[in-house]
Amino acid sequence: MIDIPKTYDPKEAEASHYARWEERGYFAPEINQDPEAPVYSIVIPPPNVTGSLHMGHALQHTMMDVLTRHKRMLGYRTLWLPGMDHAGISTQLMVTRELKKEGLTRHDLGRAKFVERVWKWKEEYGGQILNQIRREGASVDWSRFKFTMDEDLSSAVREVFVRLYQEGLIYRGNRIVNWCPNDQTVLSDLEVQRDPYKGKLYYLRYPFKNRAGAIVVATTRPETMLGDTAVAVNPNDERYRAVIGETLILPIVNREIPVVADEFVESEFGTGAVKVTPAHDPNDYEMGIRHGLEQVHVIDRFARMTEEAGADFAGLDRYKARELVIEKLEALEALEKTVDYEFSISKCERCKTVIEPLISTQWFCRMEPLRDLALAALRRNSKPQFVPQVPYEKVYVDWLENLRDWTISRQLWWGHQIPAWYTTGGEVIVARSREEAEAKAGTNELTQDEDVLDTWFSSALWPFSTLGWPDETADLKTFYPTSVLVTARDIIFLWVSRMMMMGLKFIGEEAFHDVYVTGTVLDKHGQRMSKTKANGIDPLEVFDKYGVDATRLALAQIGSTDTRWNEKQVESYRNFANKIWNAARFCLMNAEGAASISEPFAAGSANLPLHDRWILSRLNRTAAAVNKQLDTYDFHAAVQELYHFFWDDFCDWYIELSKTSVTAEEASAERDAARARLISILEQALRLLHPFMPYLTEELWQKLPVNHARLQHSAYAGAEPSIMLASFPRGEASLIDERAEAEMQAVIDLISRVRNIRSEMNIKQSDRIQLMIAAKSDLKTVFSDSTDQIARLTRAREISIDGSSEMPKAAARAVLAGGAEVAVPLEGLIDFEQERARLTREKEKLEKESLKLATQLGNADFVQRAPAEKVEELRARVTDIAQRNAALEQMLEALS
RNA sequence: GGGCACGUAUGUCAAUGGUAGACGGCUUCCCUUACAAGGAAGAGGUUGGGGGUUCGAGUCCCUCCGCGCCCACCA
């Protein structure tokens, strides 16, 4: 007898298999020996080097792994490429904080030493997430692991930069940008978040120079008035039409500023007149350009007032300056009023500091031509295919259509330094290397641009830079375009769209065929999990508590809907894992002799017992469904399908139905064959489950007395057997047997009805009952062939079957589909009242349904307009109900 | 301000316009030698409210209520 614990302990399986898979190279595409094999590839969204695994990762990785393992088992040449992102700002902040503890700033170290220090930090503390990814069971090819700052990827970054620059798509310009006064860098629009803010609206009075009166303007940032160079009104605003072109005297500063007319101004807001500060507000900047206004810089990079703001203000923090401005305006009687006002405020996504719009010289990427490539790919080739298509395709298109230039430079030290050099004369040389720049410039007196590129710039190249571009590598040719990108929805703009554009630009093909957008795991109150709210669930703790496989199942079934985290759900999949374990345990306890049968189902399905034909049909139906569901990213349905097949069909029915033959005391050819069939079904079920539950399935599969090598997919012939290289069952249409399923269903219904009688009539578990079955010829045969099993599962001691419906009076009875009946004689034990009540309840149910059907069929419109099939279906149901109803009535009569 | 989702059993979620389901929880019975992390049998729903289209609506349309998400240059 085999010695297997009663309870599945996931830890053991998790500890051993991953390392073996990895060592043997099972994750690498090279394991596939078939030169004709179709290709499947995914690049992982590279986690930040500073990151650690959160639920979102676990969710995405599970789905990518399911897809990858599924395709690998189908014989695809499969690559899931792992990597990590250098995460410019986050990482630099991390190390800066570390330095601060030593009383140092990065400037104390200088650039070179600081960057060295970051590399050291990365080696020591970075990338803890990589081992967490291993724990998940992710079948990524570690031999192709990439880091965005690796030399080859950095060179791809420079290549792209140079080419885009040469085409005029990258340029250096002086424009208004989002500046973070804390991080001391510019940010792109996507790295700025808008938060609601309860502030005030200040009404300032600016007097005319050459006439009486004043214009009152409303502002939320009075301190910027020091930099005002105009007041704007709407040209159609009657109130102000007469004063357009007049001159105002700016209070405090006493600068003369004009009144200009601009369509941008909303007459309804405030006073209908707006102060214009071109140097410190994006809208005013645009207006300033339209009207040729002067830009007066009154706030610096530290959000302090400049000399230009005036001696009283220079050096003051922007909020201190605000107070002082208000004070002075009050003294000048230039503050009309102050009202409470709620608006939104821009903050740095990382450090939450309020953004200061500043005019500054930065590098930008022109997006229109790239955007057009992406839009064309979608319109002409429907690439990428978003899943779900609604709403993400529209979101993607809308964003692309309104795309503005991308600010790609950052004032950081950690990242890809911009490959631009300046001669002493100020000439700009953009080149792939210093050597190339020197050659171009004809001098070695060059200074490289201090800035680095936005982290997302290298991320945008990820699908091809990781495969060796710009070299025409075999990997690039084989694996690009990638098959699918699996991601959460928050980086569709930041990342997905940019990869698409860059891929189309530089390779000429889309970066991925499909984009699968996962749902979000929320906390139990429906809130997003976040560090600041501290409401996150650590996936590693869940792994420890319930096992990786159970967690994966719980995550996979989330699919693309947002779902509140529910630990009970994981617990139920843990129970499922245990169920699988115990089913296998049963099979292994009764495995002796099974191995001698090499083709358990070879005899030809017609000769097999009903339950064998039935389970074979169910198995293949399930396999076909799961393949289809995985091909269409319907993870939820696939999980449900597998769960119910395994638990309901296989465990609850098949094992129970096979028990008599499988557990027979004496060895026999028949017993061995039954055992071999049982094991074969289990074995195939494990293969179906493997993409979702890699550890448990491998653990059990290895224990099964089967010819493992023969089960491998032919593409992996010769490899040491593993379930991850076994052939994924495709679901043979020829093995789907409608008749067997219908007949088995009749048996299942019969057993269920008898069990119902036992339960409702309070028949003790230990009491053996007698069954009398009346059925017409075809069903009669089915039941007769299954009497042993029916007896076993209903705990009956005696079963008689005939074609008539002569039933004893003192019996509990039930009517089955197809006109069959079953009676349980209760020899004086029967409680007539109780049985009558039970039958009446049943009759009421039928009548309710019957009434519904009659109403529908009585509707002439329905009969006329609904498809004939539908009408037929209803009529058939009416007949069946009538039949059952008549039988019930008879039974009730017999009881009275 | 604009756009997009969602609201189904006590909880978490499913359901090509055609008999509203699953898992958990709940009730009753059972430690039947694969599994009590289990088995058997049950109870539980006017699909947020109202209106419309249709032979037929959880599903399509309108509206209201509720909870979210994304985008945005009304100072």
mmCIF file of all heavy atoms in Angstrom, chain A residues 269 283 561 564 574 585 647 756 865 870, chain B residues 13-14 18 32 34 37 39 42 55 73 75:
data_model
loop_
_atom_site.group_PDB
_atom_site.id
_atom_site.type_symbol
_atom_site.label_atom_id
_atom_site.label_comp_id
_atom_site.label_asym_id
_atom_site.label_seq_id
_atom_site.Cartn_x
_atom_site.Cartn_y
_atom_site.Cartn_z
ATOM 1 N N PHE A 269 -16.933 82.479 -15.994
ATOM 2 C CA PHE A 269 -16.167 82.181 -14.789
ATOM 3 C C PHE A 269 -15.662 83.466 -14.125
ATOM 4 O O PHE A 269 -15.174 84.374 -14.798
ATOM 5 C CB PHE A 269 -14.981 81.273 -15.117
ATOM 6 C CG PHE A 269 -14.255 80.826 -13.867
ATOM 7 C CD1 PHE A 269 -14.680 79.703 -13.185
ATOM 8 C CD2 PHE A 269 -13.193 81.571 -13.362
ATOM 9 C CE1 PHE A 269 -14.039 79.314 -12.015
ATOM 10 C CE2 PHE A 269 -12.559 81.171 -12.188
ATOM 11 C CZ PHE A 269 -12.985 80.048 -11.518
ATOM 12 N N ASN A 283 -1.802 77.451 -19.531
ATOM 13 C CA ASN A 283 -2.746 78.160 -20.397
ATOM 14 C C ASN A 283 -2.237 79.556 -20.736
ATOM 15 O O ASN A 283 -2.346 80.015 -21.868
ATOM 16 C CB ASN A 283 -4.093 78.316 -19.713
ATOM 17 C CG ASN A 283 -4.680 76.977 -19.381
ATOM 18 O OD1 ASN A 283 -4.629 76.074 -20.186
ATOM 19 N ND2 ASN A 283 -5.185 76.850 -18.168
ATOM 20 N N THR A 561 -12.465 41.278 -14.682
ATOM 21 C CA THR A 561 -13.366 42.124 -13.877
ATOM 22 C C THR A 561 -12.682 42.512 -12.574
ATOM 23 O O THR A 561 -11.952 41.717 -11.987
ATOM 24 C CB THR A 561 -14.663 41.387 -13.490
ATOM 25 O OG1 THR A 561 -14.377 39.996 -13.359
ATOM 26 C CG2 THR A 561 -15.748 41.632 -14.490
ATOM 27 N N ARG A 564 -13.350 42.276 -5.477
ATOM 28 C CA ARG A 564 -12.920 42.509 -4.095
ATOM 29 C C ARG A 564 -12.234 41.252 -3.582
ATOM 30 O O ARG A 564 -12.740 40.144 -3.803
ATOM 31 C CB ARG A 564 -14.127 42.832 -3.218
ATOM 32 C CG ARG A 564 -14.783 44.106 -3.655
ATOM 33 C CD ARG A 564 -16.020 44.378 -2.832
ATOM 34 N NE ARG A 564 -16.707 45.541 -3.411
ATOM 35 C CZ ARG A 564 -17.432 46.395 -2.712
ATOM 36 N NH1 ARG A 564 -17.591 46.208 -1.418
ATOM 37 N NH2 ARG A 564 -18.003 47.415 -3.296
ATOM 38 N N ARG A 574 -8.034 26.045 -2.142
ATOM 39 C CA ARG A 574 -7.123 25.212 -1.350
ATOM 40 C C ARG A 574 -7.798 23.850 -1.122
ATOM 41 O O ARG A 574 -7.194 22.790 -1.244
ATOM 42 C CB ARG A 574 -6.826 25.918 -0.014
ATOM 43 C CG ARG A 574 -5.732 25.286 0.818
ATOM 44 C CD ARG A 574 -6.253 24.226 1.790
ATOM 45 N NE ARG A 574 -7.479 24.583 2.478
ATOM 46 C CZ ARG A 574 -7.531 25.020 3.731
ATOM 47 N NH1 ARG A 574 -6.434 25.165 4.442
ATOM 48 N NH2 ARG A 574 -8.702 25.304 4.275
ATOM 49 N N ARG A 585 -4.702 10.146 -4.467
ATOM 50 C CA ARG A 585 -4.347 9.206 -3.412
ATOM 51 C C ARG A 585 -5.157 7.917 -3.566
ATOM 52 O O ARG A 585 -4.616 6.813 -3.496
ATOM 53 C CB ARG A 585 -4.635 9.874 -2.063
ATOM 54 C CG ARG A 585 -4.158 9.120 -0.870
ATOM 55 C CD ARG A 585 -4.127 10.030 0.350
ATOM 56 N NE ARG A 585 -3.978 9.240 1.549
ATOM 57 C CZ ARG A 585 -4.976 8.901 2.354
ATOM 58 N NH1 ARG A 585 -6.211 9.318 2.076
ATOM 59 N NH2 ARG A 585 -4.765 8.149 3.403
ATOM 60 N N TRP A 647 -14.195 17.923 -9.818
ATOM 61 C CA TRP A 647 -14.882 17.625 -8.558
ATOM 62 C C TRP A 647 -16.195 16.863 -8.799
ATOM 63 O O TRP A 647 -16.439 15.800 -8.207
ATOM 64 C CB TRP A 647 -15.153 18.922 -7.782
ATOM 65 C CG TRP A 647 -15.355 18.701 -6.307
ATOM 66 C CD1 TRP A 647 -16.164 17.770 -5.739
ATOM 67 C CD2 TRP A 647 -14.725 19.405 -5.229
ATOM 68 N NE1 TRP A 647 -16.095 17.849 -4.377
ATOM 69 C CE2 TRP A 647 -15.216 18.845 -4.030
ATOM 70 C CE3 TRP A 647 -13.824 20.454 -5.144
ATOM 71 C CZ2 TRP A 647 -14.819 19.302 -2.762
ATOM 72 C CZ3 TRP A 647 -13.435 20.915 -3.883
ATOM 73 C CH2 TRP A 647 -13.919 20.339 -2.716
ATOM 74 N N ASN A 756 -32.766 11.816 -2.454
ATOM 75 C CA ASN A 756 -33.684 12.841 -1.966
ATOM 76 C C ASN A 756 -34.762 12.202 -1.100
ATOM 77 O O ASN A 756 -35.096 12.694 -0.019
ATOM 78 C CB ASN A 756 -34.301 13.563 -3.169
ATOM 79 C CG ASN A 756 -35.370 14.542 -2.747
ATOM 80 O OD1 ASN A 756 -36.515 14.162 -2.506
ATOM 81 N ND2 ASN A 756 -34.986 15.803 -2.634
ATOM 82 N N ARG A 865 -43.734 33.946 -34.158
ATOM 83 C CA ARG A 865 -42.487 34.684 -34.408
ATOM 84 C C ARG A 865 -41.223 34.050 -33.848
ATOM 85 O O ARG A 865 -40.140 34.277 -34.374
ATOM 86 C CB ARG A 865 -42.599 36.090 -33.821
ATOM 87 C CG ARG A 865 -43.750 36.838 -34.450
ATOM 88 C CD ARG A 865 -43.644 38.296 -34.132
ATOM 89 N NE ARG A 865 -44.917 38.937 -34.432
ATOM 90 C CZ ARG A 865 -45.069 40.255 -34.512
ATOM 91 N NH1 ARG A 865 -44.051 41.036 -34.294
ATOM 92 N NH2 ARG A 865 -46.245 40.759 -34.795
ATOM 93 N N LYS A 870 -37.337 26.718 -30.959
ATOM 94 C CA LYS A 870 -37.634 27.152 -29.596
ATOM 95 C C LYS A 870 -39.028 26.665 -29.196
ATOM 96 O O LYS A 870 -39.228 26.181 -28.081
ATOM 97 C CB LYS A 870 -37.571 28.686 -29.566
ATOM 98 C CG LYS A 870 -37.335 29.255 -28.216
ATOM 99 C CD LYS A 870 -35.883 29.121 -27.820
ATOM 100 C CE LYS A 870 -35.816 28.685 -26.367
ATOM 101 N NZ LYS A 870 -34.443 28.236 -26.038
ATOM 102 P P C B 13 -16.688 41.223 -6.275
ATOM 103 O OP1 C B 13 -15.624 42.184 -6.581
ATOM 104 O OP2 C B 13 -18.097 41.646 -6.183
ATOM 105 O "O5'" C B 13 -16.566 40.026 -7.319
ATOM 106 C "C5'" C B 13 -17.381 39.958 -8.462
ATOM 107 C "C4'" C B 13 -17.371 38.545 -8.954
ATOM 108 O "O4'" C B 13 -18.078 37.696 -8.018
ATOM 109 C "C3'" C B 13 -18.081 38.305 -10.282
ATOM 110 O "O3'" C B 13 -17.229 38.593 -11.365
ATOM 111 C "C2'" C B 13 -18.408 36.821 -10.198
ATOM 112 O "O2'" C B 13 -17.295 36.018 -10.502
ATOM 113 C "C1'" C B 13 -18.750 36.662 -8.719
ATOM 114 N N1 C B 13 -20.187 36.794 -8.447
ATOM 115 C C2 C B 13 -21.039 35.728 -8.800
ATOM 116 O O2 C B 13 -20.544 34.730 -9.329
ATOM 117 N N3 C B 13 -22.369 35.831 -8.560
ATOM 118 C C4 C B 13 -22.852 36.923 -7.990
ATOM 119 N N4 C B 13 -24.158 36.982 -7.772
ATOM 120 C C5 C B 13 -22.020 38.018 -7.616
ATOM 121 C C6 C B 13 -20.706 37.909 -7.864
ATOM 122 P P A B 14 -17.855 39.005 -12.745
ATOM 123 O OP1 A B 14 -16.765 39.590 -13.514
ATOM 124 O OP2 A B 14 -19.106 39.773 -12.547
ATOM 125 O "O5'" A B 14 -18.209 37.598 -13.399
ATOM 126 C "C5'" A B 14 -19.504 37.056 -13.298
ATOM 127 C "C4'" A B 14 -19.500 35.688 -13.901
ATOM 128 O "O4'" A B 14 -20.094 34.794 -12.928
ATOM 129 C "C3'" A B 14 -20.346 35.569 -15.150
ATOM 130 O "O3'" A B 14 -19.601 35.843 -16.301
ATOM 131 C "C2'" A B 14 -20.833 34.123 -15.070
ATOM 132 O "O2'" A B 14 -19.818 33.223 -15.483
ATOM 133 C "C1'" A B 14 -21.045 33.971 -13.568
ATOM 134 N N9 A B 14 -22.386 34.422 -13.150
ATOM 135 C C8 A B 14 -22.703 35.533 -12.407
ATOM 136 N N7 A B 14 -23.986 35.669 -12.176
ATOM 137 C C5 A B 14 -24.553 34.579 -12.813
ATOM 138 C C6 A B 14 -25.876 34.142 -12.934
ATOM 139 N N6 A B 14 -26.914 34.788 -12.411
ATOM 140 N N1 A B 14 -26.102 33.004 -13.633
ATOM 141 C C2 A B 14 -25.060 32.368 -14.166
ATOM 142 N N3 A B 14 -23.769 32.666 -14.116
ATOM 143 C C4 A B 14 -23.581 33.802 -13.413
ATOM 144 P P G B 18 -30.482 34.602 -24.640
ATOM 145 O OP1 G B 18 -29.878 35.008 -23.368
ATOM 146 O OP2 G B 18 -29.673 33.962 -25.679
ATOM 147 O "O5'" G B 18 -31.721 33.667 -24.316
ATOM 148 C "C5'" G B 18 -32.443 33.892 -23.113
ATOM 149 C "C4'" G B 18 -33.645 32.975 -23.032
ATOM 150 O "O4'" G B 18 -34.571 33.310 -24.099
ATOM 151 C "C3'" G B 18 -33.331 31.496 -23.198
ATOM 152 O "O3'" G B 18 -34.219 30.757 -22.360
ATOM 153 C "C2'" G B 18 -33.657 31.223 -24.661
ATOM 154 O "O2'" G B 18 -34.047 29.885 -24.891
ATOM 155 C "C1'" G B 18 -34.825 32.163 -24.892
ATOM 156 N N9 G B 18 -34.962 32.629 -26.269
ATOM 157 C C8 G B 18 -33.982 32.760 -27.213
ATOM 158 N N7 G B 18 -34.438 33.233 -28.347
ATOM 159 C C5 G B 18 -35.801 33.417 -28.132
ATOM 160 C C6 G B 18 -36.809 33.904 -28.989
ATOM 161 O O6 G B 18 -36.700 34.291 -30.152
ATOM 162 N N1 G B 18 -38.054 33.933 -28.376
ATOM 163 C C2 G B 18 -38.280 33.528 -27.091
ATOM 164 N N2 G B 18 -39.532 33.630 -26.675
ATOM 165 N N3 G B 18 -37.352 33.074 -26.269
ATOM 166 C C4 G B 18 -36.145 33.044 -26.856
ATOM 167 P P U B 32 -17.198 6.712 9.178
ATOM 168 O OP1 U B 32 -16.111 6.496 10.108
ATOM 169 O OP2 U B 32 -16.952 7.519 7.998
ATOM 170 O "O5'" U B 32 -17.724 5.291 8.759
ATOM 171 C "C5'" U B 32 -18.987 5.084 8.232
ATOM 172 C "C4'" U B 32 -18.919 4.506 6.836
ATOM 173 O "O4'" U B 32 -19.983 5.106 6.095
ATOM 174 C "C3'" U B 32 -17.650 4.818 6.025
ATOM 175 O "O3'" U B 32 -16.674 3.813 6.234
ATOM 176 C "C2'" U B 32 -18.158 4.852 4.589
ATOM 177 O "O2'" U B 32 -18.104 3.554 4.012
ATOM 178 C "C1'" U B 32 -19.605 5.254 4.753
ATOM 179 N N1 U B 32 -19.979 6.631 4.373
ATOM 180 C C2 U B 32 -19.044 7.665 4.316
ATOM 181 O O2 U B 32 -17.864 7.536 4.552
ATOM 182 N N3 U B 32 -19.575 8.881 3.956
ATOM 183 C C4 U B 32 -20.867 9.168 3.664
ATOM 184 O O4 U B 32 -21.176 10.314 3.365
ATOM 185 C C5 U B 32 -21.768 8.058 3.745
ATOM 186 C C6 U B 32 -21.305 6.866 4.083
ATOM 187 P P A B 34 -11.837 4.571 0.611
ATOM 188 O OP1 A B 34 -13.148 4.789 0.029
ATOM 189 O OP2 A B 34 -11.201 3.239 0.540
ATOM 190 O "O5'" A B 34 -10.810 5.637 0.020
ATOM 191 C "C5'" A B 34 -9.444 5.657 0.415
ATOM 192 C "C4'" A B 34 -8.892 7.052 0.245
ATOM 193 O "O4'" A B 34 -9.042 7.452 -1.141
ATOM 194 C "C3'" A B 34 -9.636 8.122 1.051
ATOM 195 O "O3'" A B 34 -9.085 8.221 2.349
ATOM 196 C "C2'" A B 34 -9.351 9.377 0.219
ATOM 197 O "O2'" A B 34 -8.044 9.854 0.454
ATOM 198 C "C1'" A B 34 -9.398 8.823 -1.211
ATOM 199 N N9 A B 34 -10.728 8.921 -1.824
ATOM 200 C C8 A B 34 -11.741 8.007 -1.778
ATOM 201 N N7 A B 34 -12.823 8.367 -2.444
ATOM 202 C C5 A B 34 -12.475 9.600 -2.973
ATOM 203 C C6 A B 34 -13.176 10.503 -3.777
ATOM 204 N N6 A B 34 -14.417 10.292 -4.221
ATOM 205 N N1 A B 34 -12.549 11.639 -4.127
ATOM 206 C C2 A B 34 -11.305 11.850 -3.685
ATOM 207 N N3 A B 34 -10.527 11.065 -2.917
ATOM 208 C C4 A B 34 -11.186 9.949 -2.603
ATOM 209 P P A B 37 -11.560 19.663 8.067
ATOM 210 O OP1 A B 37 -10.377 18.846 8.336
ATOM 211 O OP2 A B 37 -11.860 20.812 8.912
ATOM 212 O "O5'" A B 37 -11.526 20.160 6.549
ATOM 213 C "C5'" A B 37 -12.299 21.326 6.119
ATOM 214 C "C4'" A B 37 -12.206 21.392 4.621
ATOM 215 O "O4'" A B 37 -10.901 21.946 4.314
ATOM 216 C "C3'" A B 37 -12.260 20.002 4.030
ATOM 217 O "O3'" A B 37 -13.355 19.695 3.205
ATOM 218 C "C2'" A B 37 -10.777 19.657 3.633
ATOM 219 O "O2'" A B 37 -10.728 19.019 2.403
ATOM 220 C "C1'" A B 37 -10.082 21.000 3.661
ATOM 221 N N9 A B 37 -8.808 20.934 4.350
ATOM 222 C C8 A B 37 -8.558 20.530 5.651
ATOM 223 N N7 A B 37 -7.306 20.605 6.010
ATOM 224 C C5 A B 37 -6.669 21.107 4.875
ATOM 225 C C6 A B 37 -5.322 21.410 4.609
ATOM 226 N N6 A B 37 -4.348 21.272 5.487
ATOM 227 N N1 A B 37 -5.028 21.876 3.382
ATOM 228 C C2 A B 37 -6.015 22.033 2.501
ATOM 229 N N3 A B 37 -7.324 21.776 2.638
ATOM 230 C C4 A B 37 -7.591 21.312 3.857
ATOM 231 P P G B 39 -17.109 16.547 -1.070
ATOM 232 O OP1 G B 39 -16.924 16.434 -2.525
ATOM 233 O OP2 G B 39 -17.568 17.822 -0.475
ATOM 234 O "O5'" G B 39 -18.103 15.412 -0.577
ATOM 235 C "C5'" G B 39 -17.875 14.064 -0.945
ATOM 236 C "C4'" G B 39 -18.935 13.183 -0.342
ATOM 237 O "O4'" G B 39 -18.823 13.199 1.098
ATOM 238 C "C3'" G B 39 -20.368 13.621 -0.590
ATOM 239 O "O3'" G B 39 -20.823 13.286 -1.886
ATOM 240 C "C2'" G B 39 -21.095 12.868 0.511
ATOM 241 O "O2'" G B 39 -21.209 11.502 0.201
ATOM 242 C "C1'" G B 39 -20.113 13.048 1.669
ATOM 243 N N9 G B 39 -20.424 14.241 2.456
ATOM 244 C C8 G B 39 -19.741 15.430 2.493
ATOM 245 N N7 G B 39 -20.285 16.305 3.302
ATOM 246 C C5 G B 39 -21.385 15.655 3.834
ATOM 247 C C6 G B 39 -22.363 16.088 4.777
ATOM 248 O O6 G B 39 -22.447 17.176 5.344
ATOM 249 N N1 G B 39 -23.309 15.107 5.035
ATOM 250 C C2 G B 39 -23.321 13.850 4.458
ATOM 251 N N2 G B 39 -24.312 13.046 4.829
ATOM 252 N N3 G B 39 -22.415 13.429 3.589
ATOM 253 C C4 G B 39 -21.493 14.368 3.326
ATOM 254 P P G B 42 -32.533 17.579 -2.912
ATOM 255 O OP1 G B 42 -33.796 17.220 -3.580
ATOM 256 O OP2 G B 42 -31.428 18.192 -3.667
ATOM 257 O "O5'" G B 42 -32.910 18.490 -1.659
ATOM 258 C "C5'" G B 42 -33.104 19.867 -1.807
ATOM 259 C "C4'" G B 42 -33.442 20.409 -0.443
ATOM 260 O "O4'" G B 42 -32.339 20.131 0.460
ATOM 261 C "C3'" G B 42 -33.610 21.899 -0.416
ATOM 262 O "O3'" G B 42 -34.956 22.231 -0.714
ATOM 263 C "C2'" G B 42 -33.207 22.263 0.997
ATOM 264 O "O2'" G B 42 -34.256 22.031 1.909
ATOM 265 C "C1'" G B 42 -32.077 21.265 1.267
ATOM 266 N N9 G B 42 -30.757 21.771 0.914
ATOM 267 C C8 G B 42 -29.922 21.288 -0.080
ATOM 268 N N7 G B 42 -28.792 21.919 -0.156
ATOM 269 C C5 G B 42 -28.871 22.884 0.843
ATOM 270 C C6 G B 42 -27.932 23.878 1.254
ATOM 271 O O6 G B 42 -26.818 24.093 0.781
ATOM 272 N N1 G B 42 -28.415 24.649 2.295
ATOM 273 C C2 G B 42 -29.644 24.484 2.896
ATOM 274 N N2 G B 42 -29.930 25.323 3.889
ATOM 275 N N3 G B 42 -30.531 23.562 2.539
ATOM 276 C C4 G B 42 -30.075 22.801 1.507
ATOM 277 P P C B 55 -43.009 41.632 -31.528
ATOM 278 O OP1 C B 55 -43.104 41.014 -32.874
ATOM 279 O OP2 C B 55 -43.795 42.833 -31.168
ATOM 280 O "O5'" C B 55 -43.290 40.511 -30.447
ATOM 281 C "C5'" C B 55 -44.636 40.154 -30.121
ATOM 282 C "C4'" C B 55 -44.641 38.927 -29.246
ATOM 283 O "O4'" C B 55 -44.130 37.797 -30.013
ATOM 284 C "C3'" C B 55 -43.718 38.990 -28.042
ATOM 285 O "O3'" C B 55 -44.332 39.652 -26.965
ATOM 286 C "C2'" C B 55 -43.458 37.523 -27.748
ATOM 287 O "O2'" C B 55 -44.552 36.934 -27.073
ATOM 288 C "C1'" C B 55 -43.386 36.936 -29.165
ATOM 289 N N1 C B 55 -42.009 36.857 -29.683
ATOM 290 C C2 C B 55 -41.160 35.870 -29.168
ATOM 291 O O2 C B 55 -41.572 35.106 -28.284
ATOM 292 N N3 C B 55 -39.903 35.768 -29.633
ATOM 293 C C4 C B 55 -39.485 36.610 -30.585
ATOM 294 N N4 C B 55 -38.236 36.465 -31.009
ATOM 295 C C5 C B 55 -40.325 37.624 -31.119
ATOM 296 C C6 C B 55 -41.575 37.708 -30.648
ATOM 297 P P C B 73 -5.249 69.268 -19.564
ATOM 298 O OP1 C B 73 -4.279 69.807 -20.524
ATOM 299 O OP2 C B 73 -4.785 68.307 -18.524
ATOM 300 O "O5'" C B 73 -6.096 70.426 -18.895
ATOM 301 C "C5'" C B 73 -5.627 71.189 -17.829
ATOM 302 C "C4'" C B 73 -5.926 72.633 -18.106
ATOM 303 O "O4'" C B 73 -5.250 73.029 -19.323
ATOM 304 C "C3'" C B 73 -7.380 72.939 -18.404
ATOM 305 O "O3'" C B 73 -8.121 73.085 -17.202
ATOM 306 C "C2'" C B 73 -7.281 74.231 -19.197
ATOM 307 O "O2'" C B 73 -7.040 75.320 -18.328
ATOM 308 C "C1'" C B 73 -6.031 73.982 -20.034
ATOM 309 N N1 C B 73 -6.309 73.485 -21.400
ATOM 310 C C2 C B 73 -6.994 74.302 -22.307
ATOM 311 O O2 C B 73 -7.357 75.424 -21.927
ATOM 312 N N3 C B 73 -7.235 73.854 -23.550
ATOM 313 C C4 C B 73 -6.829 72.640 -23.919
ATOM 314 N N4 C B 73 -7.099 72.250 -25.157
ATOM 315 C C5 C B 73 -6.135 71.777 -23.020
ATOM 316 C C6 C B 73 -5.892 72.241 -21.786
ATOM 317 P P A B 75 -9.673 76.079 -12.476
ATOM 318 O OP1 A B 75 -9.085 74.779 -12.295
ATOM 319 O OP2 A B 75 -11.076 76.295 -12.141
ATOM 320 O "O5'" A B 75 -8.777 77.124 -11.684
ATOM 321 C "C5'" A B 75 -8.984 78.491 -11.901
ATOM 322 C "C4'" A B 75 -7.819 79.042 -12.648
ATOM 323 O "O4'" A B 75 -8.338 79.561 -13.879
ATOM 324 C "C3'" A B 75 -7.091 80.144 -11.900
ATOM 325 O "O3'" A B 75 -5.688 79.981 -12.051
ATOM 326 C "C2'" A B 75 -7.593 81.412 -12.552
ATOM 327 O "O2'" A B 75 -6.555 82.342 -12.681
ATOM 328 C "C1'" A B 75 -8.067 80.963 -13.940
ATOM 329 N N9 A B 75 -9.308 81.623 -14.349
ATOM 330 C C8 A B 75 -10.153 82.369 -13.584
ATOM 331 N N7 A B 75 -11.177 82.856 -14.234
ATOM 332 C C5 A B 75 -10.998 82.394 -15.531
ATOM 333 C C6 A B 75 -11.745 82.565 -16.704
ATOM 334 N N6 A B 75 -12.872 83.264 -16.766
ATOM 335 N N1 A B 75 -11.305 81.974 -17.819
ATOM 336 C C2 A B 75 -10.182 81.268 -17.761
ATOM 337 N N3 A B 75 -9.389 81.035 -16.711
ATOM 338 C C4 A B 75 -9.856 81.629 -15.610
#
